[in-house]
Amino acid sequence: MNIAQIIIRPLLTEKSVRNQAMNKYSFYVSKDATKIDVKIALWQLYGVKPTKVNITKGYAKHKLGKNRKPIQKKAEMRKAVVTLKKGEKLDISKAKK
């Protein structure tokens, strides 16, 4: 799998920004990516070695309209929460190309 296809984009929510103080960074990742793939991609894109990678799966959700007919679907997603060593920082905006 190509490195650029593994990490889709960083996840920036209130909870993920709060976790950055504890050296935990969140990313949307590909459906086929494994923990090892995410570690290698972070090493090559950002130059940091994560100590721990947790991956969760978010299921598709439907929004129902009139007469309970589905009118909108939220896509499936996978999130990776990456933990770095103490003292290491990750600048999300500066990825190596």
Side-chain angles (χ1 to χ4, degrees):
M1 185 180 289
N2 189 2
I3 299 293
Q5 294 174 344
I6 293 173
I7 296 179
I8 298 171
R9 63 186 164 103
L11 174 66
L12 296 174
T13 60
E14 290 181 19
K15 186 175 181 179
S16 67
V17 171
R18 195 174 345 128
N19 283 341
Q20 288 179 2
M22 297 182 287
N23 287 341
K24 292 185 179 184
Y25 296 88
S26 302
F27 296 93
Y28 284 118
V29 294
S30 173
K31 293 178 186 177
D32 302 329
T34 62
K35 292 182 180 186
I36 296 170
D37 291 338
V38 173
K39 278 187 177 184
I40 293 169
L42 282 172
W43 174 250
Q44 292 183 353
L45 288 176
Y46 295 102
V48 293
K49 276 195 173 179
T51 58
K52 190 174 179 183
V53 176
N54 295 332
I55 294 180
T56 61
K57 182 178 179 183
Y59 295 97
K61 296 181 181 179
H62 298 279
K63 196 172 203 180
L64 300 177
K66 189 175 183 180
N67 296 330
R68 312 243 338 134
K69 293 181 184 174
I71 58 171
Q72 194 176 19
K73 182 179 177 183
K74 185 177 175 186
E76 286 184 359
M77 61 177 174
R78 281 186 83 182
K79 293 187 293 186
V81 179
V82 178
T83 306
L84 302 179
K85 292 180 186 176
K86 285 188 177 181
E88 269 192 322
K89 293 291 178 187
L90 176 66
D91 192 5
I92 294 174
S93 63
K94 295 183 182 178
K96 297 176 187 175
K97 299 287 176 167

